[in-house]
Amino acid sequence: MSASGDLKKRPCPGIEDVQDSQTTKKRLNEDGKKRHIAALILARGGSKGIPLKNIKLLAGVPLLGWVVRAAIDSQVFDSVWVSTDHDEIEKVAKACGAQVHRRSPEVSKDSSSSLETIQEFTRLNPDVDIIGNIQATSPCLHPHHLQEALELMTQKGHDSVFSVVRRHHFRWQEVKKGGGASTEALNLDPSRRPRRQDWAGELVENGSFYFASRQLINKGLLQGGKMAYYEMLPEYSVDIDVDIDWPVAEQRVLRYGYFGTDKLEAIKLLLCKVSGGLTDGQVYLTTGGEEMVSINTRDTTGIVMLQREGVEVMLLCSSETPVSSSLAERLSKRTGCELLQDVGPGQVDELMRRKGLAWKEVAYLGNDEVDVDCLNLAGLSGVPRDAPVVALNATKYVCHSPAGHGAVREFGEHILLLIKKAKSKMEQDHIRRDLF
């Protein structure tokens, strides 16, 4: 969806009409047609630092999924693309909602530059007028960053815009003399070292995105013409190159990442599968021929944690697995959770009508193909790490833990974390309204 839209009709022209007209003109190309603005995320399969890092799970979401979500929800792009040479990345990109540009081997080499890949995309997509090259390794990107940056091109007339972060680092240059090495200051006078509060710092590219016009790209440039920078705060300036960056990025994205437009603080119910969720799907036989299954106390603790925070938990079981049904009945009594049998989307709809809930207020932990519809519809959905691919592609969160070994506890903590994050944001917004 493009941010341009049609001109509003008013009974008589005023200054707002003039401003709308000027904005619309700036969004037209030389032929008078609306400019096509495309987001392009480069995700080659041959990453050397972290193999297939573009689809590695970061906080339960494939890495490129974070920026695809931000790009789509920004609603400023006419199309959102992932450029890749890898089958698995293509599958993940489509599951995240992006279109796929299958790049050629010529621009998929270790020596290939980003610009070469973008130029190939523009040659194959002649209708695209502005490219927003978004880096998959910037998981703390938010829709408003893209919206505000693009306005510099569509409303201010810039040819290129790129993201930066302000740093207060004193830099020194290595100087080799004879057989030794010394150094000299690059951006300070050592005899007059400024205090941080007295120094504006320097603007450094943070690699989150680069917007450029088609004409500029055809000239072999991503930055040029009438240029502008878009400054992002340090907490959103995250990049991932090597393994050591991963745990730091995961903690940062849990605190500052963009989790979508759903109001997660409204989640009131968790529907949790017993078989493949609370259990690992294995059935143990005793010497006497009795069937047994096991559960993890961490998972039952996770259920109690949710209940304490006002989130109701219901257990789902299948009549086809009598052992799990028997276990579910005992768990239901032990945890106070209502037990539902052979539940599908229709039964969940009826349940929600009875309770006065909407899908966005429901979290769903499933584990297989039968859960796909509910995983897609739920406001927040999760699956264990060892779930089949069809379930992995349908869910919004993939647990690090496998079924029966802490997945329910992990998903419960994820729900509570997002609820806390959403409530904190609401409080901050309330404070800002009071102040301004």
Side-chain angles (χ1 to χ4, degrees):
M1 177 179 174
S2 173
S4 55
D6 297 329
L7 286 175
K8 297 178 181 178
K9 295 181 180 180
R10 302 187 181 91
C12 59
I15 185 155
E16 290 184 351
D17 297 272
V18 174
Q19 290 173 338
D20 279 352
S21 177
Q22 291 173 342
T23 298
T24 301
K25 287 180 180 178
K26 289 174 182 176
R27 292 183 178 179
L28 301 180
N29 59 25
E30 295 176 354
D31 298 328
K33 297 180 181 178
K34 187 178 77 70
R35 290 190 287 180
H36 185 113
I37 303 171
L40 182 63
I41 300 153
L42 307 184
R44 189 170 68 93
S47 173
K48 293 295 187 291
I50 306 175
L52 288 180
K53 69 177 178 182
N54 293 305
I55 56 173
K56 182 178 178 181
L57 296 180
L58 180 75
V61 176
L63 179 58
L64 65 81
W66 290 100
V67 294
V68 169
R69 176 191 292 163
I72 291 174
D73 286 358
S74 72
Q75 298 187 336
V76 296
F77 297 105
D78 298 293
S79 58
V80 176
W81 298 79
V82 170
S83 171
T84 188
D85 60 336
H86 196 278
D87 292 342
E88 200 59 36
I89 295 177
E90 178 175 353
K91 292 178 183 178
V92 172
K94 289 180 177 178
C96 291
Q99 299 182 63
V100 172
H101 162 239
R102 194 70 185 210
R103 64 171 72 176
S104 68
E106 288 73 25
V107 296
S108 301
K109 305 172 184 176
D110 290 342
S111 58
S112 300
S113 68
S114 297
L115 179 60
E116 290 173 331
T117 309
I118 296 170
Q119 286 178 322
E120 179 187 74
F121 175 82
T122 58
R123 286 196 302 270
L124 297 175
N125 294 273
D127 59 321
V128 174
D129 301 290
I130 295 176
I131 298 285
N133 174 215
I134 303 173
Q135 305 284 10
T137 53
S138 300
C140 285
L141 187 68
H142 281 240
H144 73 86
H145 295 140
L146 300 169
Q147 293 164 352
E148 293 166 4
L150 190 58
E151 285 180 357
L152 294 172
M153 294 188 72
T154 58
Q155 297 185 26
K156 303 297 182 181
H158 289 87
D159 301 304
S160 60
V161 178
F162 56 94
S163 58
V164 301
V165 62
R166 194 173 297 272
R167 300 293 190 199
H168 291 77
H169 295 162
F170 294 134
R171 294 183 295 112
W172 294 76
Q173 177 177 321
E174 182 181 26
V175 179
K176 295 183 178 180
K177 296 181 179 179
S182 62
T183 187
E184 61 184 30
L186 278 178
N187 65 346
L188 80 153
D189 179 352
S191 65
R192 297 181 180 179
R193 294 173 63 92
R195 299 184 305 167
R196 181 185 177 89
Q197 58 267 37
D198 296 330
W199 182 38
E202 295 181 324
L203 299 179
V204 181
E205 291 184 23
N206 69 352
S208 287
F209 57 80
Y210 299 84
F211 285 93
S213 67
R214 179 186 189 85
Q215 292 81 1
L216 201 63
I217 291 170
N218 288 341
K219 294 178 181 177
L221 296 170
L222 280 177
Q223 297 158 301
K226 184 181 179 183
M227 287 189 295
Y229 67 85
Y230 178 81
E231 184 175 350
M232 294 174 62
L233 295 175
E235 52 262 38
Y236 302 113
S237 299
V238 179
D239 196 14
I240 303 172
D241 289 318
V242 294
D243 281 332
I244 197 173
D245 297 331
W246 204 268
V248 176
E250 191 153 47
Q251 291 302 311
R252 188 82 69 84
V253 79
L254 286 172
R255 184 169 183 180
Y256 299 110
Y258 172 70
F259 288 87
T261 56
D262 293 332
K263 295 182 178 179
L264 295 173
E265 75 276 7
I267 285 181
K268 299 175 182 177
L269 171 66
L270 167 63
L271 297 175
C272 177
K273 292 288 289 288
V274 174
S275 179
L278 278 166
T279 72
D280 58 11
Q282 298 187 72
V283 177
Y284 305 93
L285 295 176
T286 67
T287 54
E290 295 179 342
E291 295 182 338
M292 300 175 61
V293 294
S294 65
I295 60 170
N296 195 306
T297 56
R298 285 182 296 169
D299 290 327
T300 54
T301 301
I303 291 174
V304 174
M305 289 168 55
L306 288 168
Q307 292 171 325
R308 286 175 179 168
E309 294 300 321
V311 179
E312 184 179 2
V313 180
M314 291 187 174
L315 302 178
L316 309 180
C317 66
S318 170
S319 57
E320 297 178 359
T321 53
V323 177
S324 292
S325 297
S326 175
L327 173 66
E329 290 176 2
R330 294 181 61 186
L331 285 172
S332 176
K333 293 178 182 178
R334 179 177 175 182
T335 60
C337 298
E338 186 176 342
L339 177 63
L340 303 175
Q341 196 171 63
D342 300 325
V343 170
Q347 289 84 355
V348 175
D349 281 333
E350 178 59 34
L351 170 69
M352 290 192 298
R353 279 194 293 271
R354 177 161 55 89
K355 291 182 170 291
L357 298 176
W359 273 107
K360 69 178 181 179
E361 298 174 295
V362 175
Y364 189 95
L365 181 68
N367 72 305
D368 215 329
E369 186 174 358
V370 296
D371 302 308
V372 166
D373 288 339
C374 289
L375 290 170
N376 282 320
L377 291 168
L380 182 64
S381 57
V383 298
R385 184 186 68 193
D386 52 350
V389 173
V390 65
L392 293 171
N393 288 337
T395 192
K396 298 179 177 69
Y397 182 85
V398 179
C399 299
H400 290 85
S401 305
H405 296 274
V408 176
R409 169 68 179 264
E410 180 185 337
F411 189 53
E413 290 179 340
H414 182 65
I415 293 172
L416 295 177
L417 176 66
L418 296 185
I419 291 174
K420 181 179 179 182
K421 176 185 174 72
K423 288 181 178 178
S424 175
K425 184 178 185 302
M426 289 177 63
E427 292 171 357
Q428 291 173 9
D429 291 343
H430 181 72
I431 292 171
R432 290 192 188 99
R433 286 195 295 271
D434 289 345
L435 288 175
F436 301 103

